[in-house]
């Protein structure tokens, strides 16, 4: 029976070990010469305070035999991990044995062994004994939030399947033990507390999970001696589990209401937490009922353990009268009022957020639009996940700048290492610039053997056009109807999407994209008309600039030979092909490193941006040496930041990670799975007109119930997906193509989640 195994771990007795045995164990295992040992109170393990002859103080733990190896190892990994984090308070520091192990098996007698760990003694006063100041609760809340932030990235090699009785995820399994209480009134109270918990259950999967402390009570928090509110250390990670963060908060808040049921202390605690990690309204609205569930757990487990271990019944039942009193106080509290008092923390925050939006608009006017109807304030990114100020985690299926994932440690390390050492400019000789440029050029056909660096895609496109002009002496440019090439004067004036003005000294001709069924003649006519238009305005053709995936144009389907016929016409007229690979490059397409390869063409100039620096502002222009030569005749290329040593270190790290993690192949494999999922979704939804793409660049063209291309439906879907924790974008002339363009570390499990959320969103609109 599940509940039996839930409490099974309590059946193993506390290790029985005599005080006199400790010194010899410590000498043999750790080389420690013990002067004094004292037993400490413990629930399951046997714990000791040890003093050595040099005055060193230690905490020695003999682990309960009921604890699995995986769990013990996990605790060791967790403590080692935390010791490497820079926290403003201490965590237990493990001491290695003479054999260099943080955990040892010691044989007491043949066949009888114990598992032990030694830690440095941590100075401080248990928060339960501290003289608590008025900011005590709020400071502890801040402490827990900082601890959770540090734990976000903790990912042990193994996680146990074992169920832990104190784990809030198992609360409902305690229901059958309510019958241990004879008093009907108590039973009823416990049943209602668990029922309240049950109503929250469906929401838990929305909250995400990470490792949490699991028992942040006042004995596990030490306050600095002599202070009334400064957290000195957090102890005892024996209940750490992967769970929603809100469980940790509610567990900690439960101990704040002790001993006199002060909800105000719990509110202060949560308020403190919320200043570091803002909580969502959903999470805040749960806290009161989660506190109830924790009180019920406290009461039930104490009773069960008291009944099962008569020798230690007094120990296990010592808190029963307090727990009974608190359960009664909780159940008789006005629930609505209490839940609302927690939610008000969020409302206060929302008012502040509205203020932020207004302040933003006052400064930036309408020049900086926001992505969603309800703007998201992102505060953290890791891998394919981003977290908002409410602690809500979103799957990032949209951002292509963090190409190898948000906050990739290797990229950050490379950036930090070079930034600490030196950052200058390209007028000093620097091997990194050369090595990086050589590495980058290896990714291109031999003909493209020269490059320059800049800081943004726009700047690089601008430079590409200037290179083309120097080489051809011409100023006529062809662009696609809805293309986007940047925000500088020149790159914006040649962007089709802005209705190109060509007012930067260039003439621009826009070409429309032919339907997939268009004949060769239609295609050639379109391009020749554009060339003629330029000539009639007195311009010769400089070239055709094109995003090979036509991302802003909505990634339309085109006749197979479209681009090759366009390019022959362009070259015939003396023009160059400029590939703007800012969206399509660096392996995103899976089967191809660059978008131009998908068309079997070699451009004259290639422009790189976004992914090149994984978020660090850098860009590049790759070209033929003779084109760069022609440009240099007009003077040198000066760029204060382009190609600086930090950018080169970052760019190199991106290439390393791409290679080491096989990300282009991953884009291909995962892209194929994603494509198949999207196509199967198309079969189930009347709102999908088409699905197209490759690798990790996909578009879902949506239509309304009348079968017409619909900006509105796409916008609703975008906002609905945001509400369901998934970020995607919209593109195309009508912005009716949902754009999926995640970091290349996107894996199958992310595809599964994305597909599920897309399906939910489409189903929702289908029902309207
Ligand atoms: N070209 C393309 C195809 C782009 O997608 C972008 C950015 N959206 C740019 C140019 C401009 O790049 P940046 O914003 O880095 O200047």
């Amino acid at each position: 029976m599940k509940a039996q195994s839930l409490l099974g771990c309590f059946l193993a007795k506390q290790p029985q070990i005599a005080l006199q045995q400790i010194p010899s164990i410590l000498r043999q295992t750790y080389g420690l010469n013990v002067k004094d040992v004292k037993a400490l109170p413990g629930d399951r393990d046997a714990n000791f305070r040890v003093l050595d002859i040099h005055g060193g103080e230690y905490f020695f733990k003999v682990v309960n035999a009921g604890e699995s190896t995986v769990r013990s190892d996990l605790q060791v990994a967790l403590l080692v991990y935390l010791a490497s984090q820079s926290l403003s308070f201490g965590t237990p520091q493990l001491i290695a044995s003479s054999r260099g192990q943080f955990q040892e098996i010691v044989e007491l007698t043949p066949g009888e062994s114990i598992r032990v760990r030694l830690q440095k003694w941590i100075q401080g006063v248990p928060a339960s004994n501290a003289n608590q100041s008025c900011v005590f609760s709020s400071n502890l809340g801040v402490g827990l939030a900082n601890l959770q932030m540090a734990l976000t990235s903790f990912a042990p090699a193994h996680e146990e399947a074992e169920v832990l009785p104190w784990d809030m995820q198992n609360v409902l399994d305690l229901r059958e033990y309510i019958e241990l209480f004879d008093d009907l009134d108590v039973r009823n109270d416990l049943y209602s507390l668990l029922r309240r918990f049950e109503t929250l259950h469906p929401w838990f999967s929305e909250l995400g999970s990470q490792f949490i402390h699991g028992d942040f009570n006042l004995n596990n928090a030490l306050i600095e001696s002599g202070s009334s509110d400064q957290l000195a250390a957090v102890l005892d990670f024996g209940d750490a589990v992967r769970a929603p963060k809100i469980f940790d908060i509610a567990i900690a808040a439960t101990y704040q209401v002790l001993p006199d049921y002060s909800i105000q202390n719990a509110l202060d605690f949560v308020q403190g937490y919320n200043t570091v990690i803002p909580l969502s309204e959903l999470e805040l609205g749960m806290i009161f009922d989660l506190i109830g569930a924790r009180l019920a757990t406290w009461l039930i487990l104490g009773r069960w353990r008291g009944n099962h271990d008569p020798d230690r019944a007094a120990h296990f039942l010592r808190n029963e009268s307090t727990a009974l009193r608190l359960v009664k106080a909780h159940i008789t509290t006005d629930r609505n009022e209490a839940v609302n008092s927690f939610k008000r923390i969020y409302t206060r925050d929302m008012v502040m957020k509205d203020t932020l939006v207004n302040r933003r608009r006052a400064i930036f006017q309408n020049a900086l639009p926001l992505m969603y109807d309800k703007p998201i304030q992102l505060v953290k990114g890791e891998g394919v996940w981003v977290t908002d100020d409410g602690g809500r985690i979103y799957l990032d299926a949209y951002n292509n700048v963090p190409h190898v994932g948000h906050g990739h440690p290797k990229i950050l390390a490379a950036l930090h290492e070079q930034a600490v050492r030196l950052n200058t400019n390209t007028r000093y000789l620097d091997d990194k610039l050369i090595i990086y440029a050589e590495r980058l050029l290896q990714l291109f056909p031999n003909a493209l053997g020269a490059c320059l660096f800049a800081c943004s895609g726009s700047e690089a496109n601008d430079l590409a056009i200037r290179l083309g002009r120097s080489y051809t002496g011409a100023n006529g440019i062809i662009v696609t109807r809805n293309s986007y090439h940047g925000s500088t004067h020149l790159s914006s004036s040649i962007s089709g999407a802005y209705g190109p003005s060509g007012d930067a000294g260039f003439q621009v001709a826009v070409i429309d994209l032919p339907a997939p069924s268009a004949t060769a003649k239609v295609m050639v006519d379109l391009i020749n008309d554009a060339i003629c238009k330029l000539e009639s305005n007195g311009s010769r053709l400089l070239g055709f600039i094109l995003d090979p995936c036509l991302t802003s144009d909505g990634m339309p389907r085109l006749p197979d030979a479209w681009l090759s016929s366009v390019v022959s016409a362009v070259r015939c007229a003396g023009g160059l092909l400029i590939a703007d690979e800012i969206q399509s490059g660096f392996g995103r397409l899976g089967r191809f490193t660059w978008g131009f390869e998908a068309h079997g063409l070699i451009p004259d100039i290639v422009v790189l941006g976004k992914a090149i620096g994984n978020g660090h502002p850098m860009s590049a222009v790759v070209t033929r040496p003779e084109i760069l030569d022609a440009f240099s005749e007009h003077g040198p290329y000066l760029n204060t930041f382009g190609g600086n040593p930090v950018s080169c270190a970052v760019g190199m790290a991106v290439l390393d990670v791409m290679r080491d993690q096989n990300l282009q192949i991953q884009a291909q494999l995962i892209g194929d799975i994603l494509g198949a999922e999207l196509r199967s979704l198309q079969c189930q939804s009347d709102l999908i007109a088409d699905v197209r793409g490759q690798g990790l660049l996909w578009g879902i063209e949506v239509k309304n119930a009348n079968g017409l291309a619909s900006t509105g439906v796409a916008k609703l879907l975008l906002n609905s997906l945001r509400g369901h924790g998934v970020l995607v974008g919209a593109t195309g002339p009508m912005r009716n193509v949902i754009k999926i363009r995640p970091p290349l570390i996107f894996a199958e499990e992310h595809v599964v989640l994305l597909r599920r959320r897309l399906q939910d969103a489409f189903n929702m609109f289908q029902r309207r």
Side-chain angles (χ1 to χ4, degrees):
M1 200 162 82
K2 192 166 174 221
Q4 199 77 50
S5 67
L6 174 67
L7 302 186
C9 72
F10 285 151
L11 294 173
K13 294 245 183 239
Q14 209 177 13
Q16 298 301 307
I17 181 154
L19 223 48
Q20 313 73 288
Q21 289 176 283
I22 307 288
S24 75
I25 295 175
L26 287 173
R27 192 173 329 104
Q28 282 163 22
T29 319
Y30 294 93
L32 210 65
N33 289 314
V34 173
K35 186 171 163 202
D36 189 35
V37 189
K38 278 196 181 62
L40 296 169
D43 215 32
R44 301 183 60 219
D45 304 330
N47 299 326
F48 303 90
R49 181 175 185 166
V50 176
L51 191 68
D52 76 358
I53 54 169
H54 306 294
E57 279 186 282
Y58 304 90
F59 176 86
F60 181 56
K61 178 180 279 293
V62 180
V63 177
N64 187 291
E67 182 169 296
S68 70
T69 318
V70 179
R71 178 127 205 103
S72 275
D73 291 349
L74 183 130
Q75 279 195 65
V76 170
L78 183 58
L79 295 183
V80 171
Y81 169 83
L82 282 174
S84 72
Q85 302 293 302
S86 17
L87 286 163
S88 61
F89 48 83
T91 52
Q93 307 271 314
L94 288 169
I95 293 174
S97 67
S98 314
R99 299 187 319 125
Q101 301 296 313
F102 286 129
Q103 181 161 256
E104 281 287 358
I105 308 281
V106 175
E107 194 162 81
L108 292 179
T109 56
E112 186 199 357
S113 48
I114 51 172
R115 205 177 305 148
V116 301
R117 297 198 283 266
L118 185 67
Q119 299 166 12
K120 278 189 198 151
W121 184 262
I122 304 180
Q123 302 297 339
V125 182
S128 50
N129 298 343
N131 200 356
Q132 304 173 1
S133 80
C134 56
V135 290
F136 169 85
S137 296
S138 137
N139 274 6
L140 285 188
V142 169
L144 180 66
N146 280 314
L147 178 66
Q148 284 190 351
M149 291 235 277
L151 285 173
T152 325
S153 310
F154 174 62
H158 301 287
E159 288 183 32
E160 60 178 346
E162 193 183 346
V163 281
L164 298 173
W166 287 104
D167 181 353
M168 206 169 243
Q169 288 159 117
N170 302 320
V171 164
L172 293 179
D173 291 339
L174 295 177
R175 203 175 334 220
E176 64 181 275
Y177 299 98
I178 291 177
E179 304 295 315
L180 294 174
F181 296 87
D182 296 329
D183 186 330
L184 283 184
D185 212 25
V186 173
R187 283 190 194 179
N188 282 339
D189 289 350
L190 290 173
Y191 280 123
S192 28
L193 293 182
L194 297 196
R195 259 197 311 278
R196 288 179 183 179
F197 177 86
E198 199 169 16
T199 59
L200 303 179
H201 221 268
W203 301 103
F204 293 154
S205 60
E206 300 273 315
L207 302 177
S209 68
Q210 66 158 76
F211 268 86
I212 61 167
H213 181 280
D215 190 18
F216 194 81
N217 69 48
L218 296 190
N219 290 321
N220 288 338
L222 294 187
I223 299 296
E224 283 173 14
S225 340
S227 136
S228 53
D229 49 42
Q230 291 308 307
L231 184 63
V234 179
L235 311 176
D236 191 355
F237 288 78
D239 291 288
V241 281
R242 186 180 284 284
K245 293 195 302 273
I246 198 68
F247 288 5
D248 221 8
I249 301 162
I251 290 166
T254 307
Y255 296 104
Q256 294 293 320
V257 304
L258 261 62
D260 300 319
Y261 197 73
S262 163
I263 279 289
Q264 187 54 49
N265 284 355
L267 280 165
D268 289 348
F269 177 86
V270 175
Q271 186 83 61
Y273 179 99
N274 192 65
T275 59
V276 183
I277 305 182
L279 293 163
S280 66
E281 192 174 20
L282 176 66
E283 290 170 308
L284 286 161
M286 289 178 172
I287 293 178
F288 181 74
D289 289 336
L290 294 178
I291 290 177
R294 184 60 169 190
L295 288 172
T297 309
W298 198 35
L299 186 56
I300 296 169
L301 290 183
R303 173 62 71 99
W304 189 92
R305 299 182 79 185
N307 286 3
H308 275 75
D309 194 348
D311 297 343
R312 300 184 72 205
H315 170 76
F316 290 124
L317 295 171
R318 69 193 185 285
N319 293 320
E320 189 168 286
S321 60
T322 313
L324 279 167
R325 188 163 45 76
L326 292 177
V327 163
K328 186 50 84 188
H330 189 84
I331 221 83
T332 49
T333 295
D334 179 339
R335 181 176 172 278
N336 279 344
E337 175 46 34
V339 168
N340 285 336
S341 62
F342 282 103
K343 281 191 182 173
R344 273 196 288 273
I345 295 176
Y346 176 81
T347 320
R348 276 199 297 273
D349 271 10
M350 279 317 285
V351 172
M352 278 161 64
K353 186 164 290 169
D354 278 352
T355 314
L356 207 58
V357 170
N358 291 337
R359 278 166 56 199
R360 180 184 156 105
R361 194 166 295 132
I363 297 169
F364 305 109
Q365 303 296 323
N366 290 325
L368 295 187
L370 282 159
M371 183 81 176
Y372 291 101
D373 291 348
K374 244 201 237 160
I376 304 188
Q377 191 174 351
L378 293 178
V379 293
K380 187 172 158 51
E382 197 180 1
V384 294
W385 306 102
V386 285
T387 309
D388 74 8
D389 60 327
R392 176 122 202 245
I393 298 170
Y394 301 83
L395 177 68
D396 187 354
Y398 175 64
N399 285 291
N400 56 351
V401 174
H403 195 58
V404 300
H406 289 272
H408 195 293
K410 289 212 172 122
I411 312 292
L412 298 180
L415 186 145
H416 179 252
E417 197 183 303
Q418 186 57 41
V420 165
R421 197 192 309 259
L422 172 73
N423 202 11
T424 55
N425 60 66
T426 49
R427 303 191 83 183
Y428 299 99
L429 193 57
D430 174 27
D431 59 349
K432 262 175 299 314
L433 172 69
I434 301 145
I435 298 169
Y436 174 56
E438 286 168 352
R439 278 270 309 268
L440 190 63
L441 291 177
Q442 274 169 19
L443 302 175
F444 288 89
N446 286 342
L448 299 171
C451 71
L452 287 175
F453 293 109
C455 308
S456 71
S458 310
E459 200 190 351
N461 271 331
D462 197 310
L463 179 61
I465 301 290
R466 290 176 59 212
L467 286 171
R469 182 170 198 164
S470 311
Y471 185 70
T472 59
N475 75 341
I477 298 169
I478 297 176
V479 297
T480 56
R481 174 69 61 196
N482 208 57
S483 55
Y484 175 72
H485 297 293
S487 60
T488 59
H489 186 195
L490 171 46
S491 60
S492 63
S493 72
I494 58 155
S495 288
Y498 289 164
S501 56
D503 61 359
F506 292 85
Q507 290 289 330
V508 183
V510 174
I511 55 164
D512 286 306
L513 297 166
S517 56
T519 59
K521 176 166 181 339
V522 170
M523 292 189 276
V524 172
D525 284 353
L526 279 171
I527 187 76
N528 283 338
D529 285 353
I531 295 170
C532 287
K533 186 182 154 215
L534 289 171
E535 282 169 358
S536 64
N537 286 337
S539 284
R540 264 193 309 115
L541 184 62
L542 182 162
F544 175 34
I545 181 166
L546 156 99
D547 162 359
C549 288
L550 295 150
T551 327
S552 308
D553 286 283
M555 298 182 250
R557 288 183 189 276
L558 290 161
D560 281 345
W562 172 70
L563 193 56
S564 48
S565 63
V566 169
V567 171
S568 355
V570 166
R571 287 197 161 137
C572 233
L576 304 175
L577 172 62
I578 303 174
D580 176 346
E581 293 274 356
I582 290 168
Q583 300 239 14
S584 50
F586 284 100
R588 172 161 298 281
L589 303 186
R591 286 181 175 76
F592 308 100
T593 309
W594 309 111
F596 64 77
E597 291 173 321
H599 297 281
L601 292 161
I602 299 183
D604 304 286
I605 303 176
V606 183
V607 181
L608 311 176
K610 291 189 190 264
I612 190 173
N614 210 58
H616 178 78
M618 57 187 287
S619 59
V621 177
V622 174
T623 188
R624 288 192 268 120
E626 60 270 27
I627 295 181
L628 185 50
D629 240 15
F631 177 75
S632 313
E633 277 170 20
H634 299 280
Y637 171 65
L638 299 179
N639 190 322
T640 304
F641 299 116
N644 71 67
V646 171
S647 299
C648 290
V650 169
M652 196 103 73
V654 171
L655 297 183
D656 287 344
V657 171
M658 285 288 297
R659 179 199 56 208
D660 297 346
Q661 293 186 210
N662 267 324
L663 290 182
Q664 188 174 336
I665 296 198
Q666 177 156 338
Q668 178 182 340
L669 297 176
I670 301 299
D672 286 351
I673 299 172
L674 177 58
E677 290 295 342
L678 297 181
R679 282 189 208 101
S680 91
L681 190 67
Q682 183 184 4
C683 298
Q684 292 165 18
S685 177
D686 299 337
L687 300 179
I688 302 183
D690 192 17
V691 164
R692 47 192 185 248
Q694 62 178 321
L696 287 173
L697 180 60
W698 286 87
I700 307 174
E701 186 178 324
V702 299
K703 55 185 178 184
N704 63 17
N706 300 325
L708 300 171
S710 171
T711 312
V713 171
K715 188 163 183 243
L716 285 171
L717 284 164
L718 213 69
N719 279 292
S720 156
L721 283 163
R722 171 239 195 270
H724 286 93
V726 172
L727 306 186
V728 294
T731 187
M734 289 189 65
R735 300 193 70 73
N736 64 328
V737 179
I738 302 279
K739 183 164 57 169
I740 298 173
R741 202 186 48 177
L744 296 203
I745 48 166
F746 215 64
E748 200 169 344
E749 76 234 44
H750 308 128
V751 173
V752 171
L753 179 64
L754 173 61
R755 154 80 204 241
R756 202 180 304 142
R757 294 290 184 251
L758 280 167
Q759 174 128 32
D760 292 345
F762 276 105
N763 285 348
M764 222 166 93
F765 291 106
Q766 219 115 289
R767 277 198 296 272
R768 274 162 182 250

